[in-house]
Amino acid sequence: MQTPAIAVSGLRKTFGTHPVLNDVTFEVAPGEIFALLGPNGAGKTTLINILSTLVAPDAGTATVNGFDVGRDPLAVRRSIGLTGQSAAVDEVLTGSENLRMMGRLFGLSRSASAARADELLERFDLVQAARKRAKTYSGGMRRRLDLAISLIVAPSVLFLDEPTTGLDPRSRQELWNVIRSLKEDGRTVFLTTQYLEEADQLADTVAVLNEGHVVASGTPAALKATVGGDVVEVRDRAGNLLLQLPTDGSIHGLRAAIAEVDASGVDGDVTVREPSLDDVFLALTDAGAGHAAPELIGRTAR
Ligand SMILES: Nc1ncnc2c1ncn2[C@@H]1O[C@H](COP(=O)(O)OP(=O)(O)OP(=O)(O)O)[C@@H](O)[C@H]1O
Ligand SMILES: [Mg+2]
């Protein structure tokens, strides 16, 4: 078997008395897009910090490209690119200057830095903005520049911490395309997200992190299958959700759900849809307890 791009086993990290990661184990295959999904405070950034050698774990092992993060941090750093929640962009510099400066910091010659900067500006659709200061950039442009900066030295594993948080739908779509193109280049992409749709759209494998554990992992399709079959929904004319019933996917289950809709006395348009990652998320995490609307009846965890 080929070496996993990332392998994490029995990882633990406690801050003070608060255990953030409590026996986390998973593997990421080379060339895949892996999405770590979890609510605020789940430990996603902590995990990225450990994998990028910025924070030491209390116990367990983690390797990137086969290099141990504790024993061989330099080799790990050489194989990764990191785009954090707090961007690495220098506001005062132009997009082009940001990229050329980073190239110089990574030891490229002046002309090689300039050539690489031009290549990345072209690729991330920033040519028009290349000579403008980064502080004038929109949120989407800034994220693209940040991603470009992390690609200066063409790392084989990329960590993207909530790459599209706060972006409008169009900028999010653009960034998704960029992330897909990174996979096409053969890179491994490890991203964190709170958006189920993002994981669904992009990821080959999704892992759900909650209360320090990976509570579920698999392909988006497999995860959706864990919550069962189709979901019966009733909406009013304005499209507001009135009632939602998960089924086991069988005809019998569907009939029972429809009978339940009948008995509930709720009146509206009935549709049957496939389960979404939202359903998985609600079933597997605390978010279910906090955010499930009262009309979500009959939900079963796995
Ligand atoms: N250096 C630190 N010292 C103390 N506590 C910390 C430290 N770093 C993180 N934590 C705590 O660990 C928990 C997990 O934080 P982390 O930033 O990893 O979560 P996250 O999943 O990235 O959340 P978000 O979605 O908000 O970015 C939080 O309760 C946080 O307060
Ligand atoms: Mg975070």
Side-chain angles (χ1 to χ4, degrees):
M1 208 192 81
Q2 58 184 343
T3 311
I6 299 169
V8 167
S9 177
L11 210 61
R12 291 177 192 274
K13 182 71 192 177
T14 298
F15 289 114
T17 55
H18 176 46
V20 175
L21 301 176
N22 192 1
D23 198 7
V24 171
T25 300
F26 64 87
E27 278 188 8
V28 179
E32 79 170 336
I33 298 180
F34 181 94
L36 184 70
L37 197 62
N40 283 124
K44 303 182 296 295
T45 299
T46 301
L47 191 51
I48 284 198
N49 286 343
I50 291 172
L51 291 171
S52 53
T53 78
L54 301 173
V55 164
D58 296 334
T61 57
T63 64
V64 177
N65 268 349
F67 302 115
D68 187 279
V69 294
R71 281 197 303 273
D72 220 346
L74 277 179
V76 172
R77 279 179 220 163
R78 264 188 230 116
S79 26
I80 66 172
L82 174 62
T83 301
Q85 262 174 316
S86 45
V89 172
D90 187 325
E91 305 262 308
V92 182
L93 301 180
T94 67
S96 173
E97 286 164 349
N98 261 291
L99 288 164
R100 281 181 285 145
M101 183 187 75
M102 206 50 90
R104 297 291 281 156
L105 280 178
F106 275 107
L108 301 184
S109 70
R110 192 174 297 272
S111 62
S113 297
R116 184 77 181 132
D118 287 346
E119 196 183 316
L120 288 165
L121 288 164
E122 178 84 38
R123 165 145 189 204
F124 290 90
D125 199 17
L126 290 167
V127 174
Q128 301 291 332
R131 318 231 168 275
K132 297 196 177 110
R133 288 176 186 230
K135 69 174 167 213
T136 67
Y137 284 19
S138 70
M141 289 159 75
R142 191 179 298 251
R143 294 296 171 88
R144 297 205 300 276
L145 178 59
D146 199 31
L147 202 48
I149 288 172
S150 70
L151 285 170
I152 285 279
V153 288
S156 65
V157 180
L158 268 171
F159 292 100
L160 311 179
D161 198 3
E162 298 197 26
T164 69
T165 297
L167 295 186
D168 63 40
R170 195 196 148 140
S171 307
R172 175 168 300 160
Q173 285 283 353
E174 284 169 4
L175 213 65
W176 284 354
N177 288 335
V178 168
I179 293 169
R180 289 189 187 106
S181 77
L182 298 172
K183 177 188 155 97
E184 279 158 24
D185 289 352
R187 293 180 218 284
T188 307
V189 178
F190 179 106
L191 64 90
T192 69
T193 183
Q194 297 184 39
Y195 301 115
L196 306 138
E197 191 199 355
E198 182 155 290
D200 199 7
Q201 286 282 326
L202 290 177
D204 299 298
T205 306
V206 184
V208 183
L209 188 65
N210 192 50
E211 300 205 317
H213 293 284
V214 173
V215 290
S217 68
T219 62
L223 280 187
K224 285 188 229 165
T226 64
V227 288
D230 297 331
V231 178
V232 175
E233 280 184 354
V234 186
R235 289 176 186 273
D236 66 16
R237 299 187 75 137
N240 300 310
L241 186 64
L242 300 174
L243 190 67
Q244 179 168 276
L245 295 168
T247 79
D248 61 6
S250 70
I251 293 286
H252 178 76
L254 203 55
R255 271 214 197 93
I258 302 281
E260 210 173 319
V261 170
D262 239 353
S264 73
V266 169
D267 193 18
D269 294 329
V270 178
T271 52
V272 179
R273 64 165 175 82
E274 287 200 329
S276 68
L277 273 177
D278 275 301
D279 300 310
V280 179
F281 199 63
L282 285 169
L284 294 177
T285 72
D286 285 350
H291 301 294
E295 65 270 18
L296 301 181
I297 57 172
R299 179 178 299 289
T300 49
R302 274 177 288 183

